[in-house]
Amino acid sequence: MGLELYLDLLSQPCRAVYIFAKKNSIPFELRTVDLLKGQNHSDDFVQVNPLRKVPALKDGDFTLAESVAILLYLARKYEAPDHWYPQDLQARARVDEYLSWQHTALRMSCTRTMWQKMMFPIFLGQRVPPETLANTLAELDRCLQLLEDKFLKDQDFLAGPHISVADLVAITELMHPVSAGCDIFKSRPKLAAWRQRVEAAVGEDLFREAHAILMKAKDLPPADTAMKERLKPLAQLFL
């Protein structure tokens, strides 16, 4: 059996892995894991990833969890062009710096924004207190400012003149609040120009393909009682 990628494209790190693999013509078998249906807790999936998270990778008898580890594994095994994860020590360190920061900063604020603006009221039928949403949007704005000031600066991409895995991880995060109706690029021309460069480098068709499920999330039918109960522990993380 060749390379298998276990993904749910509603998940931002899954989209980053999907785009990277497709853009670099890496052959893989897509194994869809529907998070909202709890398929990440199935016995078959737990054999692949006991952490019960996506993305996950299976390459023959070798399995791997965590999106950053998967991206770097693919970059090295398939000898992706150097700009994705540069050999130059300091250029690579810039990519690593962003990947280390985003987990506890941009990831959480983008995820909470999507859930509080869209998933709670529309999918779960649950009211979000206005002050909770206001605090989340303020934190998102703070993280976006850091993204511009600390990482993007006056460069074309986050780690320099060329696209890297850092840009893929970042743009897939930012599309979460976009899917919920937040025009986060409107008042940020520098970030908007960066988004256009990333989409152009990836390819607009591939970018749309990777985000199609996310952009339709607002049309999901309301969750039934069983699904609401199953999602309750996860949902509490996003309030």
Side-chain angles (χ1 to χ4, degrees):
M1 181 67 70
L3 179 69
E4 300 170 77
L5 294 177
Y6 293 76
L7 310 174
D8 181 344
L9 295 183
L10 195 61
S11 154
Q12 54 272 52
C14 286
R15 295 194 298 273
V17 169
Y18 182 84
I19 291 171
F20 182 83
K22 286 278 191 176
K23 179 62 180 177
N24 288 284
S25 301
I26 296 172
F28 68 93
E29 188 74 29
L30 175 62
R31 305 294 188 194
T32 299
V33 180
D34 192 321
L35 295 175
L36 295 180
K37 293 181 179 178
Q39 292 177 354
N40 52 312
H41 296 285
S42 70
D43 291 341
D44 286 345
F45 182 71
V46 171
Q47 293 298 314
V48 176
N49 185 9
L51 299 177
R52 303 169 189 260
K53 295 180 179 180
V54 288
L57 172 152
K58 192 170 189 293
D59 192 4
D61 293 330
F62 178 73
T63 58
L64 188 64
E66 297 300 323
S67 57
V68 170
I70 290 170
L71 285 166
L72 301 189
Y73 176 84
L74 294 176
R76 291 161 175 154
K77 175 172 180 175
Y78 294 95
E79 299 180 341
D82 184 72
H83 62 82
W84 288 111
Y85 193 58
Q87 291 295 318
D88 177 81
L89 177 64
Q90 293 185 357
R92 175 172 288 193
R94 287 297 177 213
V95 175
D96 290 336
E97 181 182 39
Y98 176 77
L99 295 176
S100 299
W101 173 78
Q102 60 91 26
H103 283 291
T104 56
L106 202 62
R107 163 71 54 81
M108 188 52 71
S109 62
C110 287
T111 302
R112 281 181 170 155
T113 298
M114 187 191 81
W115 274 81
Q116 291 178 19
K117 277 190 67 68
M118 179 173 68
M119 299 299 283
F120 278 114
I122 296 176
F123 184 62
L124 297 179
Q126 183 174 335
R127 178 182 176 274
V128 175
E131 61 273 18
T132 299
L133 178 57
N135 289 338
T136 295
L137 294 175
E139 176 62 15
L140 174 61
D141 192 62
R142 186 187 73 84
C143 288
L144 292 174
Q145 195 63 50
L146 286 172
L147 180 64
E148 285 192 353
D149 295 344
K150 162 63 181 167
F151 296 100
L152 184 57
K153 301 177 183 177
D154 293 319
Q155 306 174 122
D156 284 345
F157 296 97
L158 294 182
H162 305 291
I163 192 172
S164 72
V165 293
D167 298 281
L168 286 189
V169 171
I171 193 63
T172 51
E173 295 288 352
L174 295 188
M175 292 306 292
H176 252 41
V178 169
S179 73
C182 291
D183 193 352
I184 59 175
F185 298 102
K186 185 176 181 180
S187 61
R188 295 183 178 274
K190 182 187 293 188
L191 213 55
W194 165 79
R195 173 190 176 177
Q196 291 180 338
R197 288 191 293 271
V198 172
E199 287 193 32
V202 166
E204 292 182 4
D205 289 344
L206 175 56
F207 190 84
R208 281 194 297 268
E209 175 188 328
H211 289 89
I213 291 175
L214 175 72
M215 299 310 290
K216 294 177 181 176
K218 62 183 181 297
D219 300 322
L220 285 169
D224 59 25
T225 302
M227 184 174 288
K228 288 179 181 179
E229 194 63 29
R230 186 169 59 246
L231 291 174
K232 187 180 293 184
L234 176 66
Q236 291 307 309
L237 296 174
F238 303 141
L239 278 176

